[in-house]
Coordinates of all heavy atoms in Angstrom, one line a residue:
P196 N -2.4 -3.9 -12.4 CA -3.6 -4.1 -13.3 C -3.5 -5.4 -14.0 O -2.5 -6.1 -14.1 CB -3.4 -2.9 -14.3 CG -2.5 -2.0 -13.7 CD -1.5 -2.8 -12.9
P197 N -4.7 -5.9 -14.5 CA -4.7 -7.2 -15.2 C -3.8 -7.2 -16.3 O -3.7 -6.3 -17.2 CB -6.2 -7.3 -15.6 CG -7.0 -6.4 -14.7 CD -6.0 -5.3 -14.4
G198 N -2.9 -8.3 -16.4 CA -2.0 -8.5 -17.5 C -0.8 -7.5 -17.5 O -0.1 -7.5 -18.4
K199 N -0.6 -6.7 -16.4 CA 0.5 -5.8 -16.4 C 1.4 -6.0 -15.2 O 1.1 -6.8 -14.3 CB -0.1 -4.3 -16.3 CG -0.9 -3.9 -17.6 CD -1.3 -2.5 -17.5 CE -2.0 -2.1 -18.7 NZ -2.4 -0.6 -18.7
Q200 N 2.5 -5.3 -15.1 CA 3.4 -5.4 -14.1 C 3.0 -4.6 -12.8 O 2.2 -3.7 -12.9 CB 4.8 -4.8 -14.6 CG 5.9 -5.0 -13.6 CD 7.2 -4.6 -14.3 OE1 7.3 -4.3 -15.5 NE2 8.3 -4.5 -13.5
R201 N 3.5 -5.0 -11.7 CA 3.2 -4.3 -10.4 C 4.0 -3.1 -10.4 O 5.2 -3.1 -10.5 CB 3.5 -5.3 -9.2 CG 3.2 -4.7 -7.9 CD 3.3 -5.7 -6.8 NE 4.7 -6.2 -6.7 CZ 5.0 -7.3 -6.0 NH1 4.1 -7.9 -5.3 NH2 6.2 -7.7 -6.0
D202 N 3.4 -2.0 -10.0 CA 4.0 -0.7 -10.0 C 3.8 0.1 -8.7 O 2.7 -0.1 -8.1 CB 3.5 0.2 -11.2 CG 4.0 -0.3 -12.5 OD1 5.1 -0.7 -12.7 OD2 3.1 -0.2 -13.5
L203 N 4.7 0.9 -8.3 CA 4.6 1.7 -7.1 C 3.7 2.9 -7.4 O 3.8 3.5 -8.4 CB 6.0 2.2 -6.7 CG 6.0 3.3 -5.6 CD1 5.6 2.7 -4.3 CD2 7.4 3.9 -5.5
I204 N 2.7 3.1 -6.5 CA 1.8 4.3 -6.7 C 1.9 5.3 -5.6 O 1.6 6.5 -5.8 CB 0.3 3.8 -6.9 CG1 -0.1 3.0 -5.7 CG2 0.2 3.0 -8.2 CD1 -1.6 2.7 -5.8
A205 N 2.3 4.9 -4.4 CA 2.4 5.8 -3.3 C 3.3 5.3 -2.2 O 3.3 4.1 -2.0 CB 1.0 6.1 -2.7
R206 N 4.1 6.2 -1.6 CA 5.0 5.8 -0.6 C 5.1 6.9 0.5 O 4.9 8.1 0.3 CB 6.4 5.6 -1.2 CG 7.5 5.2 -0.2 CD 8.7 4.5 -0.8 NE 9.2 5.3 -1.9 CZ 9.9 4.8 -2.9 NH1 10.2 3.5 -3.0 NH2 10.3 5.6 -3.9
I207 N 5.3 6.4 1.8 CA 5.4 7.3 2.9 C 6.6 6.9 3.7 O 6.8 5.7 4.0 CB 4.1 7.3 3.7 CG1 4.2 8.4 4.8 CG2 3.8 5.9 4.3 CD1 2.8 8.6 5.5
S208 N 7.4 7.9 4.1 CA 8.6 7.6 4.9 C 8.3 7.7 6.4 O 7.2 8.0 6.8 CB 9.6 8.7 4.5 OG 9.3 9.9 5.1
R209 N 9.3 7.4 7.2 CA 9.1 7.4 8.6 C 8.9 8.8 9.1 O 8.5 9.0 10.3 CB 10.3 6.7 9.3 CG 11.6 7.4 9.0 CD 12.8 6.6 9.7 NE 14.1 7.3 9.4 CZ 15.2 6.8 9.9 NH1 15.2 5.6 10.6 NH2 16.4 7.4 9.6
T210 N 9.3 9.8 8.3 CA 9.1 11.2 8.7 C 7.9 11.8 8.0 O 7.6 13.0 8.0 CB 10.3 12.1 8.3 OG1 10.6 11.9 6.9 CG2 11.5 11.6 9.1
D211 N 7.0 10.9 7.4 CA 5.7 11.3 6.8 C 5.9 12.0 5.5 O 4.9 12.6 5.0 CB 4.9 12.1 7.8 CG 4.3 11.2 8.9 OD1 4.1 10.0 8.7 OD2 3.9 11.8 9.9
D212 N 7.1 12.0 4.9 CA 7.2 12.5 3.5 C 6.5 11.5 2.6 O 6.6 10.3 2.8 CB 8.6 12.6 3.1 CG 9.4 13.7 3.9 OD1 8.8 14.7 4.2 OD2 10.6 13.5 4.2
T213 N 5.8 12.0 1.6 CA 5.0 11.2 0.7 C 5.4 11.4 -0.7 O 5.8 12.6 -1.1 CB 3.5 11.4 0.9 OG1 3.2 12.8 0.6 CG2 3.0 11.0 2.3
T214 N 5.3 10.4 -1.5 CA 5.5 10.5 -3.0 C 4.4 9.7 -3.7 O 3.9 8.7 -3.1 CB 6.9 10.0 -3.4 OG1 7.0 8.6 -3.0 CG2 8.0 10.8 -2.8
Y215 N 4.1 10.2 -4.9 CA 3.0 9.5 -5.6 C 3.4 9.4 -7.1 O 4.1 10.2 -7.7 CB 1.7 10.4 -5.6 CG 1.2 10.5 -4.2 CD1 1.5 11.6 -3.4 CD2 0.3 9.6 -3.7 CE1 1.0 11.8 -2.1 CE2 -0.2 9.8 -2.4 CZ 0.1 10.9 -1.6 OH -0.4 11.0 -0.3
A216 N 2.9 8.3 -7.7 CA 3.0 8.2 -9.1 C 2.1 9.2 -9.8 O 1.0 9.6 -9.3 CB 2.5 6.8 -9.6
N217 N 2.5 9.7 -11.0 CA 1.7 10.7 -11.7 C 0.3 10.2 -12.0 O -0.6 11.1 -12.0 CB 2.4 11.1 -13.0 CG 3.7 11.9 -12.8 OD1 3.8 12.6 -11.8 ND2 4.6 11.9 -13.7
S218 N 0.1 9.0 -12.1 CA -1.2 8.4 -12.5 C -2.2 8.6 -11.3 O -3.4 8.6 -11.6 CB -1.1 7.0 -12.9 OG -0.6 6.2 -11.8
V219 N -1.8 8.8 -10.1 CA -2.7 8.9 -9.0 C -2.5 10.2 -8.2 O -3.3 10.5 -7.3 CB -2.5 7.7 -8.0 CG1 -2.6 6.4 -8.7 CG2 -1.2 7.8 -7.2
K220 N -1.6 11.0 -8.6 CA -1.3 12.3 -7.9 C -2.5 13.2 -7.9 O -3.1 13.4 -9.0 CB -0.1 13.0 -8.5 CG 0.4 14.2 -7.7 CD 1.7 14.7 -8.3 CE 2.8 13.6 -8.3 NZ 4.1 14.1 -8.8
G221 N -2.9 13.7 -6.8 CA -4.1 14.6 -6.7 C -5.4 13.8 -6.4 O -6.4 14.4 -6.1
R222 N -5.3 12.5 -6.6 CA -6.5 11.7 -6.4 C -6.4 10.7 -5.2 O -7.4 10.5 -4.5 CB -6.9 10.9 -7.6 CG -7.1 11.7 -8.9 CD -7.6 10.8 -10.0 NE -6.6 9.8 -10.4 CZ -6.9 8.5 -10.4 NH1 -8.0 8.1 -10.0 NH2 -5.9 7.7 -10.8
F223 N -5.2 10.2 -4.9 CA -5.0 9.3 -3.9 C -4.2 9.9 -2.8 O -3.3 10.8 -3.0 CB -4.2 8.0 -4.4 CG -5.0 7.2 -5.3 CD1 -6.2 7.5 -5.8 CD2 -4.4 5.9 -5.7 CE1 -6.9 6.7 -6.7 CE2 -5.1 5.1 -6.6 CZ -6.3 5.5 -7.1
T224 N -4.4 9.5 -1.5 CA -3.6 10.0 -0.4 C -3.2 8.8 0.5 O -4.0 8.0 0.9 CB -4.4 11.0 0.5 OG1 -4.9 12.1 -0.3 CG2 -3.6 11.5 1.6
I225 N -1.9 8.7 0.7 CA -1.3 7.7 1.6 C -1.1 8.3 3.0 O -0.7 9.4 3.1 CB 0.0 7.1 1.0 CG1 0.4 5.9 1.9 CG2 1.1 8.2 0.9 CD1 1.6 5.1 1.2
S226 N -1.4 7.5 4.0 CA -1.3 8.0 5.4 C -1.1 6.7 6.3 O -1.2 5.6 5.8 CB -2.5 8.8 5.8 OG -3.7 8.0 5.8
R227 N -0.8 7.0 7.5 CA -0.6 5.9 8.5 C -1.0 6.3 9.8 O -1.1 7.5 10.2 CB 0.9 5.5 8.5 CG 1.8 6.6 9.0 CD 3.3 6.2 9.0 NE 4.1 7.2 9.5 CZ 5.4 7.2 9.4 NH1 6.1 6.2 8.8 NH2 6.1 8.2 10.0
D228 N -1.3 5.3 10.6 CA -1.6 5.4 12.0 C -0.7 4.6 12.8 O -0.8 3.3 12.9 CB -3.1 5.0 12.3 CG -3.5 5.2 13.8 OD1 -2.6 5.3 14.7 OD2 -4.7 5.4 14.0
N229 N 0.4 5.2 13.3 CA 1.4 4.4 14.0 C 1.0 3.7 15.2 O 1.4 2.6 15.4 CB 2.6 5.4 14.4 CG 3.3 5.9 13.2 OD1 3.4 5.3 12.1 ND2 3.9 7.1 13.3
A230 N 0.1 4.3 16.0 CA -0.4 3.6 17.2 C -1.2 2.3 16.8 O -1.1 1.4 17.6 CB -1.3 4.5 17.9
E231 N -1.8 2.2 15.7 CA -2.6 1.1 15.3 C -1.8 0.2 14.3 O -2.3 -0.8 13.8 CB -3.9 1.4 14.8 CG -4.8 2.2 15.7 CD -5.2 1.3 16.9 OE1 -5.3 0.1 16.8 OE2 -5.3 1.9 18.0
N232 N -0.6 0.6 13.9 CA 0.2 -0.1 13.0 C -0.6 -0.4 11.7 O -0.6 -1.5 11.1 CB 0.7 -1.5 13.5 CG 1.7 -1.3 14.7 OD1 2.5 -0.4 14.6 ND2 1.5 -2.1 15.7
T233 N -1.2 0.7 11.2 CA -2.0 0.6 10.0 C -1.7 1.6 9.0 O -1.4 2.8 9.3 CB -3.5 0.8 10.4 OG1 -3.9 -0.2 11.4 CG2 -4.4 0.6 9.2
L234 N -1.6 1.2 7.7 CA -1.3 2.1 6.6 C -2.6 2.2 5.8 O -3.4 1.2 5.7 CB -0.3 1.4 5.7 CG 0.1 2.2 4.4 CD1 1.0 3.4 4.8 CD2 0.9 1.3 3.4
Y235 N -2.9 3.4 5.3 CA -4.1 3.7 4.5 C -3.8 4.2 3.1 O -2.8 4.8 2.9 CB -5.0 4.7 5.2 CG -5.4 4.3 6.6 CD1 -4.8 4.8 7.8 CD2 -6.5 3.4 6.8 CE1 -5.1 4.4 9.0 CE2 -6.9 3.1 8.1 CZ -6.2 3.6 9.2 OH -6.6 3.2 10.4
L236 N -4.7 3.9 2.2 CA -4.7 4.6 0.9 C -6.1 5.1 0.6 O -7.0 4.3 0.4 CB -4.3 3.6 -0.2 CG -4.1 4.3 -1.6 CD1 -3.0 5.3 -1.6 CD2 -3.9 3.2 -2.6
Q237 N -6.3 6.4 0.7 CA -7.6 7.0 0.4 C -7.6 7.3 -1.1 O -6.8 8.0 -1.6 CB -7.8 8.3 1.2 CG -9.2 9.0 0.9 CD -10.3 8.2 1.4 OE1 -10.4 7.7 2.5 NE2 -11.3 8.0 0.5
M238 N -8.6 6.7 -1.8 CA -8.7 6.8 -3.3 C -9.9 7.5 -3.6 O -11.0 7.1 -3.2 CB -8.6 5.4 -3.9 CG -7.4 4.5 -3.5 SD -7.4 3.0 -4.4 CE -8.9 2.2 -3.7
G239 N -9.8 8.5 -4.4 CA -10.9 9.3 -4.9 C -10.9 9.5 -6.4 O -9.9 9.2 -7.0
S240 N -12.0 9.9 -7.0 CA -12.1 10.2 -8.4 C -11.6 8.9 -9.2 O -10.9 9.0 -10.2 CB -11.3 11.4 -8.8 OG -11.8 12.5 -8.2
L241 N -12.1 7.8 -8.8 CA -11.6 6.5 -9.3 C -12.0 6.4 -10.8 O -13.1 6.8 -11.2 CB -12.2 5.4 -8.5 CG -11.4 5.2 -7.2 CD1 -12.2 4.3 -6.3 CD2 -10.0 4.6 -7.4
R242 N -11.2 5.8 -11.6 CA -11.3 5.6 -13.0 C -11.2 4.1 -13.3 O -10.7 3.3 -12.5 CB -10.2 6.3 -13.8 CG -10.1 7.8 -13.4 CD -8.7 8.3 -14.0 NE -8.5 9.7 -13.7 CZ -7.4 10.3 -13.8 NH1 -6.3 9.7 -14.2 NH2 -7.3 11.6 -13.6

Side-chain angles (χ1 to χ4, degrees):
K199 296 184 178 181
Q200 189 175 348
R201 182 171 60 191
D202 292 320
L203 173 69
I204 58 171
R206 179 158 52 202
I207 186 167
S208 74
R209 62 184 179 181
T210 57
D211 286 335
D212 293 326
T213 58
T214 58
Y215 298 92
N217 287 335
S218 58
V219 307
K220 191 173 298 181
R222 300 188 299 121
F223 292 9
T224 301
I225 187 171
S226 62
R227 66 184 181 188
D228 184 335
N229 292 332
E231 300 295 330
N232 294 318
T233 304
L234 180 74
Y235 300 100
L236 184 67
Q237 181 67 50
M238 305 184 295
S240 301
L241 285 164
R242 306 165 179 167

